[in-house]
Amino acid sequence: MSHILAQLHQGGAIDKHRLAQDFQVNVRTIERDLGERLYGIAERTVEGRWQLALAARATIPARYLGAYARLVGTEYLFPDSSVRYLLEQLEAQQPAQHALRVQSMPNEDLQGHGPQFAQLQRAIEQQYECCFTYKDKHRHVQPYRLIHKNGVWYVAAVEGLQLKNFSVALIQSLQPYEARHFTPDPQHHDYINRKDDVWFTASTIEVLLRVDSEIAHYFVRRAILPEQQHRKDEDGSLLVTTHVSHLSQLFPVVRYWLPHVRILQPLAWHQTLVQGLEQALARWDPGSQRALKTAPL
């Protein structure tokens, strides 16, 4: 019985004939165990196999843990991604004294947006067109994917002929058109799957950066920029290439790491960054503007 219950809780359908063979008993014995002794716990499928009844599914089957880790983007969070390792962490008896602590990223509060989120998910799954108000403008879109990035949920959707992203929290008056279906373009799905950000444009701009040796390891241990590639030079600094859709996608990262990061190409972007710093210093402290103009760029 323990063996049968364990199989049922793994989420798969089991075959009474296979069980009878495994335990070397009559099939009627297995039927009695499943139909009488496990009444309300096990139920027969339309194919004649047996599975855990919906009301008895109080736990997540172990085989789902890997799929869940991939869904929430934590597949490579630990050095060991096996189900065995994950179960060991979940079964820790004293969470307060657990050897591991994962600090979560701040996420936007979508309380009150649950029904709208479910509508968007259903529209994507059923391929319904939708309309809504976004930043005081009426939109008519074909939704493709809900994407979570840096603590914010976006919906990737086609408006007209262009793939765009919309912040779920800013969508108002959502109306799915269940009578209007669309056929998703496989190229859009491929594009979304390749992207590691939510900036959707037809083309990107290649940017070349110089990263000082003092902070090079931050860029080596994980990709900080989209499609990041790097080459380490003899002095320990990095030559980093990235492809971005807009300078607003790049500048926050560069400003964060100043003065250890410099834009080499496009040169015009470097000049724009410097001008912005000059304007900020002039606004905060007019005396600093004169000091900045005498410093080398």
Side-chain angles (χ1 to χ4, degrees):
M1 293 299 296
S2 297
H3 181 83
I4 292 174
L5 284 169
Q7 285 199 23
L8 289 170
H9 275 279
Q10 293 311 304
I14 58 179
D15 186 343
K16 63 182 180 182
H17 298 285
R18 177 62 183 272
L19 288 176
Q21 182 179 352
D22 290 345
F23 293 108
Q24 298 183 356
V25 297
N26 192 284
V27 174
R28 292 184 179 179
T29 301
I30 299 298
E31 288 179 337
R32 183 175 65 250
D33 290 339
L34 292 168
E36 298 178 10
R37 300 176 68 184
L38 294 180
Y39 179 78
I41 297 176
E43 63 182 10
R44 192 191 305 271
T45 69
V46 293
E47 295 85 7
R49 297 165 69 85
W50 290 81
Q51 66 182 10
L52 197 66
L54 182 62
R57 298 176 192 175
T59 59
I60 299 177
R63 68 185 181 89
Y64 288 169
L65 289 177
Y68 183 75
R70 289 189 293 273
L71 175 66
V72 298
T74 60
E75 184 177 7
Y76 302 107
L77 180 62
F78 301 109
D80 188 343
S81 59
S82 67
V83 171
R84 175 195 58 79
Y85 178 82
L86 293 175
L87 288 173
E88 288 176 354
Q89 309 314 309
L90 294 173
E91 291 174 356
Q93 296 300 316
Q94 297 179 338
Q97 300 177 7
H98 201 290
L100 304 178
R101 181 172 185 267
V102 179
Q103 293 185 336
S104 61
M105 175 184 293
N107 294 282
E108 66 177 338
D109 186 0
L110 282 184
Q111 294 291 327
H113 293 271
Q116 177 171 277
F117 195 90
Q119 282 184 310
L120 285 170
Q121 186 171 359
R122 176 173 169 77
I124 293 170
E125 293 169 350
Q126 301 297 323
Q127 300 171 9
Y128 297 150
E129 295 185 0
C130 296
C131 70
F132 50 77
T133 301
Y134 191 81
K135 296 182 178 180
D136 298 325
K137 183 177 179 181
H138 181 76
R139 311 279 186 161
H140 189 123
V141 305
Q142 298 172 345
Y144 271 70
R145 191 78 57 83
L146 284 162
I147 302 172
H148 187 265
K149 182 68 174 180
N150 295 332
V152 178
W153 276 104
Y154 301 90
V155 57
V158 171
E159 183 180 36
L161 298 176
Q162 185 177 356
L163 182 63
K164 301 179 180 181
N165 72 75
F166 302 90
S167 171
V168 172
L170 299 181
I171 291 176
Q172 298 178 331
S173 305
L174 173 65
Q175 181 62 53
Y177 290 129
E178 298 187 5
R180 300 186 64 172
H181 290 259
F182 70 96
T183 301
D185 187 338
Q187 293 185 353
H188 289 321
H189 278 304
D190 292 341
Y191 177 82
I192 293 170
N193 290 335
R194 291 195 310 269
K195 293 284 286 184
D196 55 4
D197 56 57
V198 290
W199 292 76
F200 299 151
T201 56
S203 61
T204 59
I205 300 171
E206 184 177 80
V207 179
L208 186 64
L209 307 170
R210 173 64 67 182
V211 177
D212 291 346
S213 58
E214 292 92 328
I215 65 164
H217 64 282
Y218 292 107
F219 284 75
V220 171
R221 68 183 182 183
R222 68 181 180 90
I224 294 179
L225 294 162
E227 301 181 37
Q228 175 183 314
Q229 295 184 349
H230 57 265
R231 186 196 73 198
K232 190 171 185 179
D233 289 340
E234 293 182 357
D235 61 357
S237 67
L238 296 179
L239 195 62
V240 176
T241 58
T242 180
H243 290 80
V244 299
S245 302
H246 192 272
L247 56 83
S248 297
Q249 191 179 3
L250 176 72
F251 276 15
V253 176
V254 174
R255 292 193 191 105
Y256 181 85
W257 293 106
L258 286 177
H260 302 292
V261 175
R262 178 186 175 93
I263 302 174
L264 301 181
Q265 296 178 2
L267 181 59
W269 284 19
H270 168 75
Q271 295 169 343
T272 301
L273 176 66
V274 172
Q275 291 171 2
L277 293 173
E278 290 175 343
Q279 292 171 1
L281 287 174
R283 182 176 182 180
W284 298 330
D285 184 2
S288 299
Q289 177 73 357
R290 292 191 297 272
L292 182 62
K293 286 185 177 180
T294 62
L297 299 179

